[in-house]
Amino acid sequence: MSFTNRRRFALAATALAFAATGFSTSTWADDAWPSRPIRMVVGYPAGSSPDVQARLLAEPLSRALGQPVVVENRPGASSNIGADMIAKATDGHTIGVIGNGPLTSSKFLYAKLPYDPSTDFAPIALIGAAPLVWVTAKSPTEHTPAQTIAQLRADGDKQTYGSVGAGSGGHLGMELLKQALGINPLHVPFNGGPAILNGIVGGHIQMTLLPASTVSPLVQAGKLDAIAVTSAKRTPLAPTLPAMEDIGVKGLNIEVWNAVMAPATMPAAHQARLSSELSKILLSRDMQQKLLVQGWRVDDPSAKSLKARIASDTAVYRDIITRNKIKID
């Protein structure tokens, strides 16, 4: 055998060895990734829940990848500015934290979006989810959820509810709740959760849907009544409250959640590595406890689970937005 033939034989044998162990030459080359710092874009201001989550994840993800993970806040346009930056990034080192709105409902609320949620993103990891709490003005007498619902049905459109604006989680969630329960309180937009709560305590509106961490102080102080959480099952975030199924609503699961997404153009091997590392981080007891303190429950963080969550929530929000002709200019 000539030298040239021996060399060809050796190269072929090496390639077969890699194939037998499940590696490819592209996977082998990908061991060098990431080759520089990872940029984690957050389309929300500093101190917001997505920002806090991003900063909790940045340090352990940096250790896992061997490169710094730099959080970059790009708030504005209901987080669509940040989402667009993530979708259009081509450097191979940009990911981001995005809330459920831009991924599920924004395409039906806005006449024009600079990105397409269904094609421009790759799901990486579901960080955490949280139901909203249905709270009402404090009643002078004790009411069961069934009695509250019966009264609302009898009142028709005489009562009102507050949200932080058209298309928000509280607005869409209450419209879903209205449809499920056959009630009809009217929508009143407010500038932020504290303003909504002041409106209820002051007697200007009667109810709202807000996160447990926002309403708990006033509920514990006896200034609001908490009726139920909007998840299908009970939650450790508000363990004393009934869930939707407990008050007779089947199949309704209204939750807010945040996720790590990448541009759809990121190579699949890099997506898989990010998803694997983030899943390990999120399933650690330490990270679950940190997120629980912030008001978030960790479920299955995998990319597969996140993809399914996006699809199911998109279908739900598409229906309620179309049915009620909700639009944001």
Side-chain angles (χ1 to χ4, degrees), residues 122-126 260-261 271-272 275-276 279 299-312:
I124 300 299
L126 179 61
V260 177
M261 305 292 288
Q271 295 177 32
S275 183
S276 175
S279 289
D299 294 323
D300 177 0
S302 69
K304 181 180 179 181
S305 174
L306 173 55
K307 184 177 181 180
R309 186 72 186 257
I310 292 171
S312 62

Side-chain angles (χ1 to χ4, degrees), residues 233-252:
K233 303 293 184 182
R234 289 187 178 234
T235 174
L237 300 172
T240 63
L241 293 180
M244 288 290 100
E245 289 193 0
D246 298 326
I247 64 172
V249 181
K250 304 295 183 183
L252 190 63

Side-chain angles (χ1 to χ4, degrees), residues 269-288:
H270 302 173
Q271 295 177 32
R273 184 177 179 194
L274 284 167
S275 183
S276 175
E277 298 295 356
L278 281 166
S279 289
K280 287 184 232 175
I281 292 166
L282 287 161
L283 290 174
S284 70
R285 182 173 297 181
D286 177 62
M287 186 57 67
Q288 290 192 42

Side-chain angles (χ1 to χ4, degrees), residues 7-29:
R7 187 170 183 273
R8 287 174 181 167
F9 179 81
L11 288 172
T14 301
L16 287 171
F18 277 124
T21 56
F23 287 97
S24 68
T25 53
S26 62
T27 303
W28 189 256

Side-chain angles (χ1 to χ4, degrees), residues 22 39 68 73 78 85 97 119 134 137 141 180 208 218 224 226 283 294 307 327:
R39 179 174 66 156
N73 297 93
S78 299
M85 286 186 65
V97 174
T119 60
W134 182 17
T141 58
T208 191
L218 288 176
L224 295 176
L283 290 174
Q294 296 293 329
K307 184 177 181 180
K327 290 293 179 183

Side-chain angles (χ1 to χ4, degrees), residues 57 69 76 90 130 142 161 163 200 219:
L57 293 172
V69 175
T90 58
E142 208 166 300
Y161 75 91
S163 86
I200 299 176
V219 171

Side-chain angles (χ1 to χ4, degrees), residues 76-81 83-84 88 102 105-117 120 326-329:
S78 299
S79 79
N80 285 321
I81 290 175
D84 188 47
K88 292 185 169 62
S105 60
S106 287
K107 67 186 296 183
F108 311 113
L109 293 167
Y110 293 89
K112 290 183 179 180
L113 275 181
Y115 58 89
D116 186 340
D120 290 348
I326 302 169
K327 290 293 179 183
I328 299 174
D329 295 331

